[in-house]
Structures are given as structure tokens and as C-alpha cells.
Amino acid sequence: KIRAAFHLFDHKADNTVDVREVSTIIYSLGCFPTKADIHRFVDEVEEDNMGYVHLDKFLPVMTKVIMENKFPPIPEQHLRQAFEVLDKDRRGYMEPQELAKYMKSEGEIFSQEETNEMLTALVDEKKNLICYKELINQLTIHPDT
């Protein structure tokens, strides 16, 4: 699973990925580190500050992260509560520009690139809204299924 996720971002097919892809790979494996966690992880696996990560370094470190459950998913109720705090009218959705504003001014600040990536993944294209109640169900792990 780790190899497959890594190879999705190995665009040169040389067992390396750009360090900027590491967080996306980690998230795709069901792990949810903070930015500080990601920076520490990258410091551990990056090749001599060259801007890339080799699979040989990534694999054992990521395996340990998963085995030790270092970056567990956020519980469903916490995600719901976070969105509900932002959705003051309790509509069950947010407009993309609302979430973008919060992402750039509250908590762990996101860059414009990170904000754009997040919105691309979260916005329902037909409605041009973030329907967070539906989204939370997709983002959380349900062990019974």
C-alpha cells in the first residue's frame, strides 16, 4: 500500500518523489499529521536537502508511522464540530470562499497553493459548495465497513 501510494507520485519512475508530495502521500495512507509532524518526517527522509525523497528511506519510516499509529485520523465528531463552529447558520454547507478565509487566518495557516488544493478536493462542482456533512462521511474511517 505504501509503495503504491509512493509510486503514484514517482513521475520519473526512479523511486523518488518531490518533497512537496510527501504530505499528500501520507494523507492518502489514512494518516493525518500536523504541519510540524510533516516537517519532521521530511527532515528524516529527504535526501541531503536536495528536494526529493527516495523510496528506500520513505518506506521504513512510513511503515513505522503506520505500525505505531503516529498520525491517527481525526474522529468524526471533531470534524463535524469544527465545521459547525464555522457554519454559524447551521446550513450543513459552506461556500468555498468562507473556508478559504478561515484556512488563511485561523489555526494552522495554509498557503494559497494548499488552500487551492484543498478546495479543489472539497468543493461539490455542481453546487459550488462544500457540503461538509456528506464530506465528513467520506473522510472518516468506518471500521465496521
PDB file of all heavy atoms in Angstrom, residues 27 35 79 82-83 86-87 94-123 130 132 135 139:
ATOM      1  N   TYR A  27      -1.264  11.548   3.682  1.00  0.00           N
ATOM      2  CA  TYR A  27      -2.721  11.664   3.832  1.00  0.00           C
ATOM      3  C   TYR A  27      -3.436  10.540   3.096  1.00  0.00           C
ATOM      4  O   TYR A  27      -4.426   9.998   3.578  1.00  0.00           O
ATOM      5  CB  TYR A  27      -3.233  13.007   3.308  1.00  0.00           C
ATOM      6  CG  TYR A  27      -2.735  14.221   4.049  1.00  0.00           C
ATOM      7  CD1 TYR A  27      -2.416  15.377   3.367  1.00  0.00           C
ATOM      8  CD2 TYR A  27      -2.591  14.233   5.441  1.00  0.00           C
ATOM      9  CE1 TYR A  27      -1.959  16.509   4.032  1.00  0.00           C
ATOM     10  CE2 TYR A  27      -2.129  15.352   6.114  1.00  0.00           C
ATOM     11  CZ  TYR A  27      -1.822  16.487   5.399  1.00  0.00           C
ATOM     12  OH  TYR A  27      -1.371  17.600   6.060  1.00  0.00           O
ATOM     13  N   LYS A  35       1.345  20.023  10.373  1.00  0.00           N
ATOM     14  CA  LYS A  35       2.428  20.546   9.535  1.00  0.00           C
ATOM     15  C   LYS A  35       3.787  20.288  10.186  1.00  0.00           C
ATOM     16  O   LYS A  35       4.747  19.945   9.514  1.00  0.00           O
ATOM     17  CB  LYS A  35       2.248  22.045   9.288  1.00  0.00           C
ATOM     18  CG  LYS A  35       1.253  22.371   8.217  1.00  0.00           C
ATOM     19  CD  LYS A  35       1.284  23.859   7.923  1.00  0.00           C
ATOM     20  CE  LYS A  35       0.399  24.186   6.765  1.00  0.00           C
ATOM     21  NZ  LYS A  35       0.495  25.597   6.381  1.00  0.00           N
ATOM     22  N   LEU A  79     -14.477  16.495  13.540  1.00  0.00           N
ATOM     23  CA  LEU A  79     -14.614  17.137  12.224  1.00  0.00           C
ATOM     24  C   LEU A  79     -15.949  17.859  12.121  1.00  0.00           C
ATOM     25  O   LEU A  79     -16.023  19.011  11.677  1.00  0.00           O
ATOM     26  CB  LEU A  79     -14.512  16.098  11.105  1.00  0.00           C
ATOM     27  CG  LEU A  79     -13.129  15.577  10.770  1.00  0.00           C
ATOM     28  CD1 LEU A  79     -13.233  14.441   9.767  1.00  0.00           C
ATOM     29  CD2 LEU A  79     -12.264  16.684  10.217  1.00  0.00           C
ATOM     30  N   ALA A  82     -15.951  20.993  14.194  1.00  0.00           N
ATOM     31  CA  ALA A  82     -15.132  22.046  13.596  1.00  0.00           C
ATOM     32  C   ALA A  82     -15.900  22.754  12.486  1.00  0.00           C
ATOM     33  O   ALA A  82     -15.910  23.994  12.415  1.00  0.00           O
ATOM     34  CB  ALA A  82     -13.836  21.459  13.044  1.00  0.00           C
ATOM     35  N   PHE A  83     -16.542  21.997  11.615  1.00  0.00           N
ATOM     36  CA  PHE A  83     -17.323  22.623  10.550  1.00  0.00           C
ATOM     37  C   PHE A  83     -18.513  23.393  11.117  1.00  0.00           C
ATOM     38  O   PHE A  83     -18.844  24.478  10.639  1.00  0.00           O
ATOM     39  CB  PHE A  83     -17.809  21.579   9.538  1.00  0.00           C
ATOM     40  CG  PHE A  83     -16.803  21.272   8.472  1.00  0.00           C
ATOM     41  CD1 PHE A  83     -16.121  20.069   8.474  1.00  0.00           C
ATOM     42  CD2 PHE A  83     -16.542  22.186   7.452  1.00  0.00           C
ATOM     43  CE1 PHE A  83     -15.189  19.778   7.485  1.00  0.00           C
ATOM     44  CE2 PHE A  83     -15.614  21.899   6.467  1.00  0.00           C
ATOM     45  CZ  PHE A  83     -14.941  20.694   6.477  1.00  0.00           C
ATOM     46  N   LEU A  86     -17.690  26.820  12.251  1.00  0.00           N
ATOM     47  CA  LEU A  86     -17.522  27.749  11.135  1.00  0.00           C
ATOM     48  C   LEU A  86     -18.855  28.064  10.440  1.00  0.00           C
ATOM     49  O   LEU A  86     -19.033  29.136   9.891  1.00  0.00           O
ATOM     50  CB  LEU A  86     -16.537  27.175  10.114  1.00  0.00           C
ATOM     51  CG  LEU A  86     -15.147  26.850  10.647  1.00  0.00           C
ATOM     52  CD1 LEU A  86     -14.299  26.220   9.551  1.00  0.00           C
ATOM     53  CD2 LEU A  86     -14.474  28.088  11.213  1.00  0.00           C
ATOM     54  N   ASP A  87     -19.771  27.118  10.461  1.00  0.00           N
ATOM     55  CA  ASP A  87     -21.076  27.261   9.819  1.00  0.00           C
ATOM     56  C   ASP A  87     -22.059  27.815  10.849  1.00  0.00           C
ATOM     57  O   ASP A  87     -22.897  27.104  11.392  1.00  0.00           O
ATOM     58  CB  ASP A  87     -21.538  25.895   9.290  1.00  0.00           C
ATOM     59  CG  ASP A  87     -22.915  25.934   8.660  1.00  0.00           C
ATOM     60  OD1 ASP A  87     -23.413  27.031   8.330  1.00  0.00           O
ATOM     61  OD2 ASP A  87     -23.514  24.846   8.500  1.00  0.00           O
ATOM     62  N   MET A  94     -20.753  25.006   3.402  1.00  0.00           N
ATOM     63  CA  MET A  94     -20.011  26.279   3.427  1.00  0.00           C
ATOM     64  C   MET A  94     -19.700  26.664   1.995  1.00  0.00           C
ATOM     65  O   MET A  94     -19.534  25.806   1.129  1.00  0.00           O
ATOM     66  CB  MET A  94     -18.694  26.127   4.195  1.00  0.00           C
ATOM     67  CG  MET A  94     -18.854  25.841   5.657  1.00  0.00           C
ATOM     68  SD  MET A  94     -17.251  25.772   6.474  1.00  0.00           S
ATOM     69  CE  MET A  94     -16.777  27.488   6.399  1.00  0.00           C
ATOM     70  N   GLU A  95     -19.587  27.942   1.772  1.00  0.00           N
ATOM     71  CA  GLU A  95     -19.146  28.412   0.471  1.00  0.00           C
ATOM     72  C   GLU A  95     -17.620  28.349   0.449  1.00  0.00           C
ATOM     73  O   GLU A  95     -16.972  28.557   1.477  1.00  0.00           O
ATOM     74  CB  GLU A  95     -19.651  29.825   0.225  1.00  0.00           C
ATOM     75  CG  GLU A  95     -21.167  29.868   0.116  1.00  0.00           C
ATOM     76  CD  GLU A  95     -21.714  31.241  -0.165  1.00  0.00           C
ATOM     77  OE1 GLU A  95     -20.940  32.147  -0.553  1.00  0.00           O
ATOM     78  OE2 GLU A  95     -22.926  31.406   0.002  1.00  0.00           O
ATOM     79  N   PRO A  96     -17.026  28.036  -0.705  1.00  0.00           N
ATOM     80  CA  PRO A  96     -15.566  27.880  -0.784  1.00  0.00           C
ATOM     81  C   PRO A  96     -14.790  29.088  -0.244  1.00  0.00           C
ATOM     82  O   PRO A  96     -13.804  28.919   0.469  1.00  0.00           O
ATOM     83  CB  PRO A  96     -15.301  27.688  -2.279  1.00  0.00           C
ATOM     84  CG  PRO A  96     -16.584  27.181  -2.830  1.00  0.00           C
ATOM     85  CD  PRO A  96     -17.671  27.767  -1.985  1.00  0.00           C
ATOM     86  N   GLN A  97     -15.264  30.294  -0.552  1.00  0.00           N
ATOM     87  CA  GLN A  97     -14.545  31.487  -0.091  1.00  0.00           C
ATOM     88  C   GLN A  97     -14.585  31.636   1.432  1.00  0.00           C
ATOM     89  O   GLN A  97     -13.655  32.169   2.030  1.00  0.00           O
ATOM     90  CB  GLN A  97     -15.019  32.756  -0.800  1.00  0.00           C
ATOM     91  CG  GLN A  97     -16.484  33.051  -0.714  1.00  0.00           C
ATOM     92  CD  GLN A  97     -17.311  32.372  -1.801  1.00  0.00           C
ATOM     93  OE1 GLN A  97     -16.907  31.383  -2.391  1.00  0.00           O
ATOM     94  NE2 GLN A  97     -18.490  32.905  -2.059  1.00  0.00           N
ATOM     95  N   GLU A  98     -15.643  31.115   2.070  1.00  0.00           N
ATOM     96  CA  GLU A  98     -15.716  31.138   3.533  1.00  0.00           C
ATOM     97  C   GLU A  98     -14.600  30.277   4.126  1.00  0.00           C
ATOM     98  O   GLU A  98     -13.867  30.716   5.011  1.00  0.00           O
ATOM     99  CB  GLU A  98     -17.046  30.549   4.032  1.00  0.00           C
ATOM    100  CG  GLU A  98     -18.267  31.383   3.858  1.00  0.00           C
ATOM    101  CD  GLU A  98     -19.477  30.622   4.378  1.00  0.00           C
ATOM    102  OE1 GLU A  98     -19.994  29.760   3.643  1.00  0.00           O
ATOM    103  OE2 GLU A  98     -19.887  30.885   5.530  1.00  0.00           O
ATOM    104  N   LEU A  99     -14.508  29.033   3.637  1.00  0.00           N
ATOM    105  CA  LEU A  99     -13.492  28.127   4.157  1.00  0.00           C
ATOM    106  C   LEU A  99     -12.093  28.651   3.838  1.00  0.00           C
ATOM    107  O   LEU A  99     -11.196  28.586   4.684  1.00  0.00           O
ATOM    108  CB  LEU A  99     -13.674  26.712   3.602  1.00  0.00           C
ATOM    109  CG  LEU A  99     -12.736  25.663   4.182  1.00  0.00           C
ATOM    110  CD1 LEU A  99     -12.864  25.568   5.703  1.00  0.00           C
ATOM    111  CD2 LEU A  99     -13.000  24.306   3.556  1.00  0.00           C
ATOM    112  N   ALA A 100     -11.911  29.197   2.650  1.00  0.00           N
ATOM    113  CA  ALA A 100     -10.610  29.751   2.263  1.00  0.00           C
ATOM    114  C   ALA A 100     -10.185  30.843   3.240  1.00  0.00           C
ATOM    115  O   ALA A 100      -9.020  30.902   3.647  1.00  0.00           O
ATOM    116  CB  ALA A 100     -10.665  30.287   0.838  1.00  0.00           C
ATOM    117  N   LYS A 101     -11.120  31.684   3.626  1.00  0.00           N
ATOM    118  CA  LYS A 101     -10.816  32.766   4.571  1.00  0.00           C
ATOM    119  C   LYS A 101     -10.318  32.196   5.902  1.00  0.00           C
ATOM    120  O   LYS A 101      -9.302  32.637   6.437  1.00  0.00           O
ATOM    121  CB  LYS A 101     -12.074  33.627   4.795  1.00  0.00           C
ATOM    122  CG  LYS A 101     -11.856  34.774   5.768  1.00  0.00           C
ATOM    123  CD  LYS A 101     -13.141  35.502   6.048  1.00  0.00           C
ATOM    124  CE  LYS A 101     -13.893  34.710   7.085  1.00  0.00           C
ATOM    125  NZ  LYS A 101     -15.064  35.340   7.649  1.00  0.00           N
ATOM    126  N   TYR A 102     -11.002  31.171   6.399  1.00  0.00           N
ATOM    127  CA  TYR A 102     -10.591  30.564   7.660  1.00  0.00           C
ATOM    128  C   TYR A 102      -9.242  29.858   7.534  1.00  0.00           C
ATOM    129  O   TYR A 102      -8.422  29.898   8.447  1.00  0.00           O
ATOM    130  CB  TYR A 102     -11.644  29.566   8.150  1.00  0.00           C
ATOM    131  CG  TYR A 102     -12.919  30.218   8.615  1.00  0.00           C
ATOM    132  CD1 TYR A 102     -14.134  29.894   8.034  1.00  0.00           C
ATOM    133  CD2 TYR A 102     -12.917  31.156   9.641  1.00  0.00           C
ATOM    134  CE1 TYR A 102     -15.311  30.489   8.454  1.00  0.00           C
ATOM    135  CE2 TYR A 102     -14.081  31.758  10.067  1.00  0.00           C
ATOM    136  CZ  TYR A 102     -15.276  31.420   9.477  1.00  0.00           C
ATOM    137  OH  TYR A 102     -16.432  32.018   9.897  1.00  0.00           O
ATOM    138  N   MET A 103      -9.020  29.203   6.404  1.00  0.00           N
ATOM    139  CA  MET A 103      -7.774  28.469   6.199  1.00  0.00           C
ATOM    140  C   MET A 103      -6.559  29.391   6.169  1.00  0.00           C
ATOM    141  O   MET A 103      -5.451  28.964   6.457  1.00  0.00           O
ATOM    142  CB  MET A 103      -7.840  27.659   4.902  1.00  0.00           C
ATOM    143  CG  MET A 103      -8.818  26.496   4.972  1.00  0.00           C
ATOM    144  SD  MET A 103      -9.041  25.674   3.389  1.00  0.00           S
ATOM    145  CE  MET A 103      -7.445  24.886   3.215  1.00  0.00           C
ATOM    146  N   LYS A 104      -6.786  30.644   5.825  1.00  0.00           N
ATOM    147  CA  LYS A 104      -5.670  31.586   5.722  1.00  0.00           C
ATOM    148  C   LYS A 104      -5.537  32.479   6.951  1.00  0.00           C
ATOM    149  O   LYS A 104      -4.613  33.277   7.027  1.00  0.00           O
ATOM    150  CB  LYS A 104      -5.851  32.451   4.480  1.00  0.00           C
ATOM    151  CG  LYS A 104      -5.722  31.652   3.209  1.00  0.00           C
ATOM    152  CD  LYS A 104      -6.107  32.505   2.041  1.00  0.00           C
ATOM    153  CE  LYS A 104      -5.180  32.254   0.905  1.00  0.00           C
ATOM    154  NZ  LYS A 104      -5.360  33.194  -0.163  1.00  0.00           N
ATOM    155  N   SER A 105      -6.460  32.336   7.917  1.00  0.00           N
ATOM    156  CA  SER A 105      -6.396  33.259   9.043  1.00  0.00           C
ATOM    157  C   SER A 105      -6.541  32.611  10.415  1.00  0.00           C
ATOM    158  O   SER A 105      -6.310  33.268  11.418  1.00  0.00           O
ATOM    159  CB  SER A 105      -7.496  34.325   8.890  1.00  0.00           C
ATOM    160  OG  SER A 105      -8.784  33.728   8.935  1.00  0.00           O
ATOM    161  N   GLU A 106      -6.919  31.342  10.478  1.00  0.00           N
ATOM    162  CA  GLU A 106      -7.166  30.703  11.770  1.00  0.00           C
ATOM    163  C   GLU A 106      -6.333  29.431  11.908  1.00  0.00           C
ATOM    164  O   GLU A 106      -6.083  28.738  10.924  1.00  0.00           O
ATOM    165  CB  GLU A 106      -8.652  30.321  11.897  1.00  0.00           C
ATOM    166  CG  GLU A 106      -9.617  31.489  11.764  1.00  0.00           C
ATOM    167  CD  GLU A 106      -9.587  32.450  12.930  1.00  0.00           C
ATOM    168  OE1 GLU A 106      -9.278  32.016  14.060  1.00  0.00           O
ATOM    169  OE2 GLU A 106      -9.861  33.636  12.714  1.00  0.00           O
ATOM    170  N   GLY A 107      -5.939  29.109  13.123  1.00  0.00           N
ATOM    171  CA  GLY A 107      -5.241  27.854  13.393  1.00  0.00           C
ATOM    172  C   GLY A 107      -3.951  27.712  12.617  1.00  0.00           C
ATOM    173  O   GLY A 107      -3.175  28.662  12.502  1.00  0.00           O
ATOM    174  N   GLU A 108      -3.715  26.511  12.086  1.00  0.00           N
ATOM    175  CA  GLU A 108      -2.543  26.258  11.248  1.00  0.00           C
ATOM    176  C   GLU A 108      -2.794  26.904   9.901  1.00  0.00           C
ATOM    177  O   GLU A 108      -3.631  26.462   9.132  1.00  0.00           O
ATOM    178  CB  GLU A 108      -2.348  24.743  11.064  1.00  0.00           C
ATOM    179  CG  GLU A 108      -1.170  24.215  11.817  1.00  0.00           C
ATOM    180  CD  GLU A 108      -0.910  22.751  11.529  1.00  0.00           C
ATOM    181  OE1 GLU A 108      -0.365  22.448  10.444  1.00  0.00           O
ATOM    182  OE2 GLU A 108      -1.222  21.940  12.393  1.00  0.00           O
ATOM    183  N   ILE A 109      -2.075  27.963   9.582  1.00  0.00           N
ATOM    184  CA  ILE A 109      -2.303  28.745   8.372  1.00  0.00           C
ATOM    185  C   ILE A 109      -1.863  27.964   7.137  1.00  0.00           C
ATOM    186  O   ILE A 109      -0.776  27.410   7.096  1.00  0.00           O
ATOM    187  CB  ILE A 109      -1.554  30.096   8.442  1.00  0.00           C
ATOM    188  CG1 ILE A 109      -1.907  30.854   9.739  1.00  0.00           C
ATOM    189  CG2 ILE A 109      -1.841  30.942   7.215  1.00  0.00           C
ATOM    190  CD1 ILE A 109      -3.370  31.183   9.908  1.00  0.00           C
ATOM    191  N   PHE A 110      -2.741  27.946   6.124  1.00  0.00           N
ATOM    192  CA  PHE A 110      -2.463  27.269   4.862  1.00  0.00           C
ATOM    193  C   PHE A 110      -1.960  28.277   3.836  1.00  0.00           C
ATOM    194  O   PHE A 110      -2.410  29.421   3.812  1.00  0.00           O
ATOM    195  CB  PHE A 110      -3.744  26.614   4.313  1.00  0.00           C
ATOM    196  CG  PHE A 110      -4.189  25.413   5.077  1.00  0.00           C
ATOM    197  CD1 PHE A 110      -4.873  25.541   6.276  1.00  0.00           C
ATOM    198  CD2 PHE A 110      -3.935  24.137   4.597  1.00  0.00           C
ATOM    199  CE1 PHE A 110      -5.299  24.430   6.985  1.00  0.00           C
ATOM    200  CE2 PHE A 110      -4.347  23.017   5.290  1.00  0.00           C
ATOM    201  CZ  PHE A 110      -5.035  23.165   6.486  1.00  0.00           C
ATOM    202  N   SER A 111      -1.053  27.839   2.975  1.00  0.00           N
ATOM    203  CA  SER A 111      -0.590  28.691   1.872  1.00  0.00           C
ATOM    204  C   SER A 111      -1.695  28.756   0.826  1.00  0.00           C
ATOM    205  O   SER A 111      -2.658  27.980   0.859  1.00  0.00           O
ATOM    206  CB  SER A 111       0.673  28.089   1.241  1.00  0.00           C
ATOM    207  OG  SER A 111       0.349  26.895   0.555  1.00  0.00           O
ATOM    208  N   GLN A 112      -1.564  29.660  -0.139  1.00  0.00           N
ATOM    209  CA  GLN A 112      -2.543  29.764  -1.215  1.00  0.00           C
ATOM    210  C   GLN A 112      -2.612  28.463  -2.003  1.00  0.00           C
ATOM    211  O   GLN A 112      -3.690  27.985  -2.344  1.00  0.00           O
ATOM    212  CB  GLN A 112      -2.203  30.936  -2.158  1.00  0.00           C
ATOM    213  CG  GLN A 112      -3.246  31.155  -3.240  1.00  0.00           C
ATOM    214  CD  GLN A 112      -4.600  31.543  -2.678  1.00  0.00           C
ATOM    215  OE1 GLN A 112      -4.708  32.417  -1.840  1.00  0.00           O
ATOM    216  NE2 GLN A 112      -5.653  30.870  -3.135  1.00  0.00           N
ATOM    217  N   GLU A 113      -1.457  27.858  -2.267  1.00  0.00           N
ATOM    218  CA  GLU A 113      -1.412  26.597  -3.005  1.00  0.00           C
ATOM    219  C   GLU A 113      -2.136  25.490  -2.243  1.00  0.00           C
ATOM    220  O   GLU A 113      -2.933  24.739  -2.813  1.00  0.00           O
ATOM    221  CB  GLU A 113       0.039  26.194  -3.269  1.00  0.00           C
ATOM    222  CG  GLU A 113       0.182  24.922  -4.070  1.00  0.00           C
ATOM    223  CD  GLU A 113       1.641  24.527  -4.307  1.00  0.00           C
ATOM    224  OE1 GLU A 113       2.558  25.305  -3.976  1.00  0.00           O
ATOM    225  OE2 GLU A 113       1.843  23.423  -4.823  1.00  0.00           O
ATOM    226  N   GLU A 114      -1.884  25.391  -0.937  1.00  0.00           N
ATOM    227  CA  GLU A 114      -2.556  24.382  -0.120  1.00  0.00           C
ATOM    228  C   GLU A 114      -4.062  24.629  -0.080  1.00  0.00           C
ATOM    229  O   GLU A 114      -4.862  23.688  -0.163  1.00  0.00           O
ATOM    230  CB  GLU A 114      -2.002  24.394   1.309  1.00  0.00           C
ATOM    231  CG  GLU A 114      -0.584  23.887   1.425  1.00  0.00           C
ATOM    232  CD  GLU A 114       0.020  24.158   2.786  1.00  0.00           C
ATOM    233  OE1 GLU A 114      -0.232  25.234   3.379  1.00  0.00           O
ATOM    234  OE2 GLU A 114       0.779  23.288   3.265  1.00  0.00           O
ATOM    235  N   THR A 115      -4.447  25.891   0.037  1.00  0.00           N
ATOM    236  CA  THR A 115      -5.866  26.250   0.059  1.00  0.00           C
ATOM    237  C   THR A 115      -6.529  25.852  -1.246  1.00  0.00           C
ATOM    238  O   THR A 115      -7.607  25.245  -1.245  1.00  0.00           O
ATOM    239  CB  THR A 115      -6.032  27.766   0.315  1.00  0.00           C
ATOM    240  OG1 THR A 115      -5.437  28.086   1.576  1.00  0.00           O
ATOM    241  CG2 THR A 115      -7.495  28.162   0.338  1.00  0.00           C
ATOM    242  N   ASN A 116      -5.891  26.172  -2.361  1.00  0.00           N
ATOM    243  CA  ASN A 116      -6.455  25.816  -3.668  1.00  0.00           C
ATOM    244  C   ASN A 116      -6.609  24.307  -3.816  1.00  0.00           C
ATOM    245  O   ASN A 116      -7.635  23.825  -4.298  1.00  0.00           O
ATOM    246  CB  ASN A 116      -5.595  26.368  -4.804  1.00  0.00           C
ATOM    247  CG  ASN A 116      -5.640  27.874  -4.890  1.00  0.00           C
ATOM    248  OD1 ASN A 116      -6.502  28.517  -4.310  1.00  0.00           O
ATOM    249  ND2 ASN A 116      -4.686  28.446  -5.594  1.00  0.00           N
ATOM    250  N   GLU A 117      -5.589  23.553  -3.402  1.00  0.00           N
ATOM    251  CA  GLU A 117      -5.653  22.091  -3.480  1.00  0.00           C
ATOM    252  C   GLU A 117      -6.801  21.553  -2.636  1.00  0.00           C
ATOM    253  O   GLU A 117      -7.548  20.675  -3.069  1.00  0.00           O
ATOM    254  CB  GLU A 117      -4.341  21.458  -2.996  1.00  0.00           C
ATOM    255  CG  GLU A 117      -3.225  21.508  -3.990  1.00  0.00           C
ATOM    256  CD  GLU A 117      -1.972  20.811  -3.476  1.00  0.00           C
ATOM    257  OE1 GLU A 117      -2.086  19.837  -2.693  1.00  0.00           O
ATOM    258  OE2 GLU A 117      -0.876  21.245  -3.853  1.00  0.00           O
ATOM    259  N   MET A 118      -6.921  22.090  -1.432  1.00  0.00           N
ATOM    260  CA  MET A 118      -7.973  21.629  -0.525  1.00  0.00           C
ATOM    261  C   MET A 118      -9.354  21.927  -1.103  1.00  0.00           C
ATOM    262  O   MET A 118     -10.227  21.061  -1.118  1.00  0.00           O
ATOM    263  CB  MET A 118      -7.817  22.314   0.831  1.00  0.00           C
ATOM    264  CG  MET A 118      -8.785  21.830   1.868  1.00  0.00           C
ATOM    265  SD  MET A 118      -8.330  20.254   2.587  1.00  0.00           S
ATOM    266  CE  MET A 118      -6.929  20.708   3.546  1.00  0.00           C
ATOM    267  N   LEU A 119      -9.530  23.121  -1.604  1.00  0.00           N
ATOM    268  CA  LEU A 119     -10.833  23.490  -2.151  1.00  0.00           C
ATOM    269  C   LEU A 119     -11.166  22.662  -3.385  1.00  0.00           C
ATOM    270  O   LEU A 119     -12.320  22.260  -3.576  1.00  0.00           O
ATOM    271  CB  LEU A 119     -10.888  24.985  -2.465  1.00  0.00           C
ATOM    272  CG  LEU A 119     -10.850  25.901  -1.238  1.00  0.00           C
ATOM    273  CD1 LEU A 119     -10.829  27.352  -1.654  1.00  0.00           C
ATOM    274  CD2 LEU A 119     -12.005  25.614  -0.294  1.00  0.00           C
ATOM    275  N   THR A 120     -10.166  22.377  -4.203  1.00  0.00           N
ATOM    276  CA  THR A 120     -10.397  21.540  -5.383  1.00  0.00           C
ATOM    277  C   THR A 120     -10.926  20.170  -4.958  1.00  0.00           C
ATOM    278  O   THR A 120     -11.830  19.628  -5.584  1.00  0.00           O
ATOM    279  CB  THR A 120      -9.089  21.374  -6.190  1.00  0.00           C
ATOM    280  OG1 THR A 120      -8.685  22.658  -6.644  1.00  0.00           O
ATOM    281  CG2 THR A 120      -9.280  20.452  -7.370  1.00  0.00           C
ATOM    282  N   ALA A 121     -10.394  19.654  -3.871  1.00  0.00           N
ATOM    283  CA  ALA A 121     -10.810  18.328  -3.402  1.00  0.00           C
ATOM    284  C   ALA A 121     -12.162  18.353  -2.687  1.00  0.00           C
ATOM    285  O   ALA A 121     -12.897  17.376  -2.734  1.00  0.00           O
ATOM    286  CB  ALA A 121      -9.747  17.764  -2.461  1.00  0.00           C
ATOM    287  N   LEU A 122     -12.504  19.469  -2.047  1.00  0.00           N
ATOM    288  CA  LEU A 122     -13.689  19.504  -1.189  1.00  0.00           C
ATOM    289  C   LEU A 122     -14.954  20.059  -1.828  1.00  0.00           C
ATOM    290  O   LEU A 122     -16.055  19.723  -1.407  1.00  0.00           O
ATOM    291  CB  LEU A 122     -13.392  20.325   0.074  1.00  0.00           C
ATOM    292  CG  LEU A 122     -12.258  19.841   0.964  1.00  0.00           C
ATOM    293  CD1 LEU A 122     -12.110  20.765   2.157  1.00  0.00           C
ATOM    294  CD2 LEU A 122     -12.477  18.421   1.412  1.00  0.00           C
ATOM    295  N   VAL A 123     -14.815  20.922  -2.805  1.00  0.00           N
ATOM    296  CA  VAL A 123     -15.979  21.620  -3.350  1.00  0.00           C
ATOM    297  C   VAL A 123     -16.780  20.713  -4.275  1.00  0.00           C
ATOM    298  O   VAL A 123     -16.242  20.083  -5.181  1.00  0.00           O
ATOM    299  CB  VAL A 123     -15.547  22.907  -4.105  1.00  0.00           C
ATOM    300  CG1 VAL A 123     -16.729  23.558  -4.805  1.00  0.00           C
ATOM    301  CG2 VAL A 123     -14.903  23.889  -3.140  1.00  0.00           C
ATOM    302  N   ILE A 130     -19.259  23.432  -0.263  1.00  0.00           N
ATOM    303  CA  ILE A 130     -18.630  22.361   0.498  1.00  0.00           C
ATOM    304  C   ILE A 130     -19.721  21.808   1.401  1.00  0.00           C
ATOM    305  O   ILE A 130     -20.088  22.424   2.404  1.00  0.00           O
ATOM    306  CB  ILE A 130     -17.435  22.884   1.319  1.00  0.00           C
ATOM    307  CG1 ILE A 130     -16.390  23.479   0.383  1.00  0.00           C
ATOM    308  CG2 ILE A 130     -16.849  21.769   2.181  1.00  0.00           C
ATOM    309  CD1 ILE A 130     -15.386  24.355   1.068  1.00  0.00           C
ATOM    310  N   TYR A 132     -20.357  19.756   3.949  1.00  0.00           N
ATOM    311  CA  TYR A 132     -19.472  19.080   4.890  1.00  0.00           C
ATOM    312  C   TYR A 132     -20.081  17.848   5.541  1.00  0.00           C
ATOM    313  O   TYR A 132     -19.361  16.927   5.898  1.00  0.00           O
ATOM    314  CB  TYR A 132     -18.925  20.045   5.939  1.00  0.00           C
ATOM    315  CG  TYR A 132     -19.925  20.660   6.869  1.00  0.00           C
ATOM    316  CD1 TYR A 132     -20.371  19.990   7.997  1.00  0.00           C
ATOM    317  CD2 TYR A 132     -20.406  21.939   6.644  1.00  0.00           C
ATOM    318  CE1 TYR A 132     -21.272  20.562   8.872  1.00  0.00           C
ATOM    319  CE2 TYR A 132     -21.299  22.525   7.506  1.00  0.00           C
ATOM    320  CZ  TYR A 132     -21.739  21.839   8.614  1.00  0.00           C
ATOM    321  OH  TYR A 132     -22.621  22.420   9.478  1.00  0.00           O
ATOM    322  N   LEU A 135     -19.276  15.211   3.188  1.00  0.00           N
ATOM    323  CA  LEU A 135     -17.827  15.117   3.108  1.00  0.00           C
ATOM    324  C   LEU A 135     -17.230  14.383   4.305  1.00  0.00           C
ATOM    325  O   LEU A 135     -16.346  13.544   4.145  1.00  0.00           O
ATOM    326  CB  LEU A 135     -17.251  16.534   3.022  1.00  0.00           C
ATOM    327  CG  LEU A 135     -15.777  16.668   2.823  1.00  0.00           C
ATOM    328  CD1 LEU A 135     -15.379  16.087   1.483  1.00  0.00           C
ATOM    329  CD2 LEU A 135     -15.396  18.134   2.875  1.00  0.00           C
ATOM    330  N   LEU A 139     -14.576  11.281   4.500  1.00  0.00           N
ATOM    331  CA  LEU A 139     -13.245  11.476   5.069  1.00  0.00           C
ATOM    332  C   LEU A 139     -12.936  10.595   6.260  1.00  0.00           C
ATOM    333  O   LEU A 139     -11.771  10.424   6.618  1.00  0.00           O
ATOM    334  CB  LEU A 139     -13.059  12.941   5.490  1.00  0.00           C
ATOM    335  CG  LEU A 139     -13.028  13.976   4.383  1.00  0.00           C
ATOM    336  CD1 LEU A 139     -12.974  15.376   4.986  1.00  0.00           C
ATOM    337  CD2 LEU A 139     -11.847  13.755   3.469  1.00  0.00           C
TER     338      LEU A 139
END
